[in-house]
Amino acid sequence: MTEQQFQTTVRAGDREITVPTGLFLGGKFTSGSESETFAVVDASTGQEFASVASATTSDANTAMDNAAAAQKTWGETSPMERSELLYKIFELIKENTDDLALLQSLELGRALKDSVGEVAYSAEFFRWFSQQAMAITGDYRVAPKGDSRVVVSHQPVGPVLAITPWNFPLAMIARKVAPALAAGCTIVVKPAQMTPLSALYLANLMREAGVPEGVVQILPTKSAKNVSVLLDDDRLRKFTFTGSTEVGQSLASKAMEKTMRVSLELGGNAPFVVLEDADMDKAVSAAMEAKMRGAGQVCIAANRFLVHESLAAEFTQRVVKEVSEMTMGPGVQEGLDVGAMVSEEERDKVRDLVEGAVKEGAKVEHGGVEELENLRETHPDLDPEGFWFPPTVLSGVKPDAEIANTEIFGPVLAIQTFADAEEGLELANNTPFGLAGYVCGENLKETLQFAEKMECGMVAVNRGVLSDASAPFGGVKASGVGREGGFEGISEFLEPRYISLEG
């Protein structure tokens, strides 16, 4: 079969995009060993628009064979060679921004402006790690006793398995593949079932850039177990996962049976704290960025808005005004603020959380389930089969409410109040999770001290965006282990080797 049989042309906005639909296995696009496929759905219509090959356990084992065979040669390539290849991938992603952004908005439902932002963010990982590939250091020094020399070098860990989520179908892969390649590791990627097309498009760009056969392989599948079976393979030396805490912990436990390197980015429950002296313009602007980007389907999205009681009424009024002006529609259309949610299941989870919050005493200030039920009248232009949820603001949320203790993953801004900074900090840290946090305040000393006491791997001060390819991304507590991006990101894929040299 020719590779042309493993591609399709989809229409997104006013463009036609040709995208691979096969497994990227051994440098080629191909069917799965059992020729099974699964559907990719347009979130704005609920209708299938593409069919993608589904990997089997046999395909995963073939990918592992390829990765293991390619590891020695790839690990011995020069830092400059790896650097130049990564930079070429960066350039190709930038050149194909329009296609990649539209493709993401089609399969994910997200507003186009947010997809454009993700493409730029994804590309930066390849640029950043193209530089880090040539900055891997070692050590040479006299041992304290003076009778030997300590020589330390860094070697690639070896073949890697990466499992990525649906909400950032390009960036989560870039954040894992780029440092793996920079370090000299081969990698097998399982993208999310709901959003595989961005990953396969990226695979084609990487091949165009010159990534050798077997170095990167991408295996979409309708059963994650078909690929996670590789955790039983002694040749796999690193596992990196982004997704739910429960699944990540289970897979990490399996990986540790082989004593392999593990890094995890897991669930969150991000607090957004508005201190008594906060600048309201900054706070509202940051809140909208931290919550409504990607319709709230973001792992670091603000989840609990903790507002000083003296500012709560004004803050609520102003965010309601901002939310009421947001436009909703198919993600591939220009000029929209909020697209559809990725699936009916995810939409229904958000609906249930909002319904539960109201039963527990919260007040709907804007949006909510009632507006959802009236969408046919208020938004007749929306396809009723799409997975819509209107931007929503809730006030009076109680700290023990389910919505305050669950990752909402939708466009819902849930507001609580606190009386003083001590109570605000206690509320902020009262969660088993610790991925991201946000705090707004104008007293630099007090605000920075507050940020330093927040039990989060990342904290944004007076701003609603904190992701940066040059900064370490990751959480504490139940939100994960390890870091991606920054100077720290490449070390997750390197093993120090110590040689004791006589004299």
Side-chain angles (χ1 to χ4, degrees), residues 274-279 307-311 418-421 440-442:
V274 182
L275 298 174
E276 186 175 9
D277 64 346
D279 180 301
V307 185
H308 189 273
E309 58 190 13
S310 67
L311 303 177
F418 62 89
D420 54 42
C440 295
E442 286 302 290

mmCIF file of all heavy atoms in Angstrom, residues 274-279 307-311 418-421 440-442:
data_model
loop_
_atom_site.group_PDB
_atom_site.id
_atom_site.type_symbol
_atom_site.label_atom_id
_atom_site.label_comp_id
_atom_site.label_asym_id
_atom_site.label_seq_id
_atom_site.Cartn_x
_atom_site.Cartn_y
_atom_site.Cartn_z
ATOM 1 N N VAL A 274 -6.800 36.880 44.749
ATOM 2 C CA VAL A 274 -6.830 38.329 44.592
ATOM 3 C C VAL A 274 -6.706 38.944 45.981
ATOM 4 O O VAL A 274 -7.653 38.921 46.779
ATOM 5 C CB VAL A 274 -8.129 38.798 43.906
ATOM 6 C CG1 VAL A 274 -8.110 40.314 43.701
ATOM 7 C CG2 VAL A 274 -8.311 38.079 42.568
ATOM 8 N N LEU A 275 -5.506 39.467 46.294
ATOM 9 C CA LEU A 275 -5.247 40.043 47.609
ATOM 10 C C LEU A 275 -5.934 41.398 47.767
ATOM 11 O O LEU A 275 -6.351 42.025 46.782
ATOM 12 C CB LEU A 275 -3.743 40.181 47.826
ATOM 13 C CG LEU A 275 -2.948 38.860 47.813
ATOM 14 C CD1 LEU A 275 -1.446 39.139 47.881
ATOM 15 C CD2 LEU A 275 -3.383 37.960 48.962
ATOM 16 N N GLU A 276 -6.004 41.861 48.997
ATOM 17 C CA GLU A 276 -6.775 43.074 49.310
ATOM 18 C C GLU A 276 -6.269 44.300 48.564
ATOM 19 O O GLU A 276 -7.049 45.191 48.213
ATOM 20 C CB GLU A 276 -6.733 43.325 50.819
ATOM 21 C CG GLU A 276 -7.601 44.475 51.287
ATOM 22 C CD GLU A 276 -7.619 44.617 52.792
ATOM 23 O OE1 GLU A 276 -6.821 43.938 53.477
ATOM 24 O OE2 GLU A 276 -8.436 45.412 53.305
ATOM 25 N N ASP A 277 -4.959 44.349 48.281
ATOM 26 C CA ASP A 277 -4.406 45.532 47.623
ATOM 27 C C ASP A 277 -4.213 45.331 46.120
ATOM 28 O O ASP A 277 -3.470 46.062 45.476
ATOM 29 C CB ASP A 277 -3.081 45.927 48.266
ATOM 30 C CG ASP A 277 -2.000 44.860 48.077
ATOM 31 O OD1 ASP A 277 -2.348 43.722 47.683
ATOM 32 O OD2 ASP A 277 -0.812 45.157 48.314
ATOM 33 N N ALA A 278 -4.864 44.346 45.557
ATOM 34 C CA ALA A 278 -4.687 44.048 44.132
ATOM 35 C C ALA A 278 -5.186 45.180 43.249
ATOM 36 O O ALA A 278 -6.164 45.876 43.591
ATOM 37 C CB ALA A 278 -5.421 42.763 43.776
ATOM 38 N N ASP A 279 -4.527 45.355 42.113
ATOM 39 C CA ASP A 279 -4.999 46.261 41.073
ATOM 40 C C ASP A 279 -6.100 45.522 40.308
ATOM 41 O O ASP A 279 -5.853 44.492 39.697
ATOM 42 C CB ASP A 279 -3.834 46.616 40.146
ATOM 43 C CG ASP A 279 -4.234 47.555 39.025
ATOM 44 O OD1 ASP A 279 -5.131 47.188 38.230
ATOM 45 O OD2 ASP A 279 -3.628 48.628 38.907
ATOM 46 N N VAL A 307 -11.004 35.487 46.343
ATOM 47 C CA VAL A 307 -10.987 36.945 46.253
ATOM 48 C C VAL A 307 -11.233 37.544 47.637
ATOM 49 O O VAL A 307 -12.156 37.115 48.351
ATOM 50 C CB VAL A 307 -12.061 37.447 45.273
ATOM 51 C CG1 VAL A 307 -11.969 38.959 45.096
ATOM 52 C CG2 VAL A 307 -11.922 36.740 43.922
ATOM 53 N N HIS A 308 -10.411 38.520 48.005
ATOM 54 C CA HIS A 308 -10.615 39.185 49.297
ATOM 55 C C HIS A 308 -12.034 39.737 49.366
ATOM 56 O O HIS A 308 -12.543 40.300 48.384
ATOM 57 C CB HIS A 308 -9.597 40.309 49.497
ATOM 58 C CG HIS A 308 -9.612 40.867 50.875
ATOM 59 N ND1 HIS A 308 -10.455 41.889 51.261
ATOM 60 C CD2 HIS A 308 -8.898 40.518 51.984
ATOM 61 C CE1 HIS A 308 -10.255 42.170 52.540
ATOM 62 N NE2 HIS A 308 -9.306 41.355 53.003
ATOM 63 N N GLU A 309 -12.668 39.572 50.507
ATOM 64 C CA GLU A 309 -14.085 39.899 50.640
ATOM 65 C C GLU A 309 -14.400 41.358 50.312
ATOM 66 O O GLU A 309 -15.502 41.679 49.844
ATOM 67 C CB GLU A 309 -14.575 39.561 52.047
ATOM 68 C CG GLU A 309 -13.829 40.263 53.163
ATOM 69 C CD GLU A 309 -14.182 39.720 54.545
ATOM 70 O OE1 GLU A 309 -14.808 38.642 54.615
ATOM 71 O OE2 GLU A 309 -13.843 40.389 55.548
ATOM 72 N N SER A 310 -13.430 42.251 50.500
ATOM 73 C CA SER A 310 -13.668 43.662 50.195
ATOM 74 C C SER A 310 -13.697 43.935 48.689
ATOM 75 O O SER A 310 -14.201 44.983 48.258
ATOM 76 C CB SER A 310 -12.586 44.530 50.847
ATOM 77 O OG SER A 310 -11.319 44.295 50.244
ATOM 78 N N LEU A 311 -13.161 43.011 47.879
ATOM 79 C CA LEU A 311 -13.087 43.204 46.433
ATOM 80 C C LEU A 311 -14.038 42.283 45.666
ATOM 81 O O LEU A 311 -14.168 42.410 44.442
ATOM 82 C CB LEU A 311 -11.659 42.933 45.940
ATOM 83 C CG LEU A 311 -10.536 43.760 46.570
ATOM 84 C CD1 LEU A 311 -9.190 43.306 46.016
ATOM 85 C CD2 LEU A 311 -10.745 45.246 46.323
ATOM 86 N N PHE A 418 -12.290 35.358 50.976
ATOM 87 C CA PHE A 418 -11.525 35.159 52.211
ATOM 88 C C PHE A 418 -11.394 36.501 52.915
ATOM 89 O O PHE A 418 -11.521 37.577 52.300
ATOM 90 C CB PHE A 418 -10.160 34.541 51.933
ATOM 91 C CG PHE A 418 -9.256 35.380 51.063
ATOM 92 C CD1 PHE A 418 -8.403 36.325 51.614
ATOM 93 C CD2 PHE A 418 -9.245 35.205 49.679
ATOM 94 C CE1 PHE A 418 -7.565 37.081 50.814
ATOM 95 C CE2 PHE A 418 -8.409 35.955 48.868
ATOM 96 C CZ PHE A 418 -7.568 36.903 49.433
ATOM 97 N N ALA A 419 -11.105 36.447 54.238
ATOM 98 C CA ALA A 419 -11.097 37.653 55.054
ATOM 99 C C ALA A 419 -9.722 38.304 55.153
ATOM 100 O O ALA A 419 -9.614 39.528 55.263
ATOM 101 C CB ALA A 419 -11.618 37.332 56.455
ATOM 102 N N ASP A 420 -8.654 37.510 55.143
ATOM 103 C CA ASP A 420 -7.306 38.058 55.239
ATOM 104 C C ASP A 420 -6.336 37.142 54.504
ATOM 105 O O ASP A 420 -6.690 36.031 54.091
ATOM 106 C CB ASP A 420 -6.884 38.250 56.696
ATOM 107 C CG ASP A 420 -7.023 36.986 57.535
ATOM 108 O OD1 ASP A 420 -6.674 35.893 57.038
ATOM 109 O OD2 ASP A 420 -7.497 37.076 58.681
ATOM 110 N N ALA A 421 -5.096 37.616 54.339
ATOM 111 C CA ALA A 421 -4.113 36.876 53.543
ATOM 112 C C ALA A 421 -3.839 35.494 54.124
ATOM 113 O O ALA A 421 -3.628 34.528 53.375
ATOM 114 C CB ALA A 421 -2.825 37.676 53.435
ATOM 115 N N CYS A 440 -2.555 37.974 42.724
ATOM 116 C CA CYS A 440 -2.539 39.380 42.312
ATOM 117 C C CYS A 440 -2.459 40.261 43.548
ATOM 118 O O CYS A 440 -3.261 40.114 44.485
ATOM 119 C CB CYS A 440 -3.802 39.731 41.527
ATOM 120 S SG CYS A 440 -3.962 38.861 39.955
ATOM 121 N N GLY A 441 -1.498 41.180 43.560
ATOM 122 C CA GLY A 441 -1.344 42.124 44.662
ATOM 123 C C GLY A 441 -0.339 43.183 44.275
ATOM 124 O O GLY A 441 0.553 42.947 43.456
ATOM 125 N N GLU A 442 -0.446 44.366 44.872
ATOM 126 C CA GLU A 442 0.415 45.492 44.501
ATOM 127 C C GLU A 442 1.567 45.722 45.460
ATOM 128 O O GLU A 442 2.520 46.412 45.120
ATOM 129 C CB GLU A 442 -0.427 46.768 44.373
ATOM 130 C CG GLU A 442 -1.292 46.806 43.127
ATOM 131 C CD GLU A 442 -0.486 46.668 41.849
ATOM 132 O OE1 GLU A 442 0.251 47.602 41.494
ATOM 133 O OE2 GLU A 442 -0.563 45.586 41.219
#
